[in-house]
Amino acid sequence: QSLLAQTAIEDFLKPADSLNVSRRNAVIISETVIASATLVGLNQLWYADYPKSNFHFINDNADWLQMDKAGHVFSSYHLGKMGADALNWSGVSKKNQLMYGATLGLAFLTTVEIFDGYSANWGASMGDVVANVSGTALYVSQELLWNEQRITPKFSFHSTHYAALRPDVLGSSLSEQILKDYNGQTYWLSCNVHSFFAASKIPKWFNIALGYGAEGMITGSQNDITNNSLPKEERFRQFYVSLDLDLTKIETKSHILKTILTIFNTVKIPAPAFEINGLQGIKFHPLYF
């Protein structure tokens, strides 16, 4: 029974060789239901308790040293990749994968941006829109240029002492801090070396990753500190160079394992890293998260 169940899952996860209408319709319906439910829930849990306003823009490009914008690029890219992969699984043509699948992240995040625009406490951000477009463009352009993803946005996180200074904003638990504490987040562009040097003997899974982070942020902007009880931390940017793996390049015939590896390929593996910042110069981390 276990073998039959595993075989059934393998057959289910295997991409269709040609258009499978049932799969395509299931993908469209599932994405529509999940996206709609998520947006309705977001509106009720986040926006409903705050006053509405006419649609307006705000300029938050200087906030959080652009860490939030890096997060928008990451989210837009991977939501789009997920949409394209789902259509590929159902046998949809490459053109339609890029047109209707890769734009999933852009469409979803643009809707969230509209919610922000009608909220008196927030506002639509043109910087967020540009970041969303950039994430989608990063995926689509690589498919058009190379027919593969050689550069993958990734994410890593380590806890910091800043969250304890303002837990209501930066998170009171680890799960909240992963989403809210920009001080502990690092966003990476993980580059597959073998894809650029196919004739070399470099392993197909070997990557070099360039990372961006920032610290010293208790509020969005330095000018936001009006509470004298909050310490005035010096903000600084961090740039990293590290090793990484492209898990999707690990050869396997198992579609179950391929799916698992694809999911975990959004996360940068812990590895040695060099850091360059404006305070301490160059630092070496034996193992950086």
Side-chain angles (χ1 to χ4, degrees), residues 51-59 113-126:
K52 304 292 186 204
S53 69
N54 293 328
F55 185 83
H56 63 287
F57 282 93
I58 60 170
N59 185 352
E113 209 61 43
I114 292 173
F115 283 1
D116 282 346
Y118 281 107
S119 176
N121 285 41
W122 293 278
S125 166
M126 187 55 67

Side-chain angles (χ1 to χ4, degrees), residues 47-68:
Y47 296 99
D49 294 333
Y50 296 97
K52 304 292 186 204
S53 69
N54 293 328
F55 185 83
H56 63 287
F57 282 93
I58 60 170
N59 185 352
D60 64 346
N61 292 333
D63 290 358
W64 303 111
L65 294 180
Q66 296 81 48
M67 285 297 293
D68 58 325

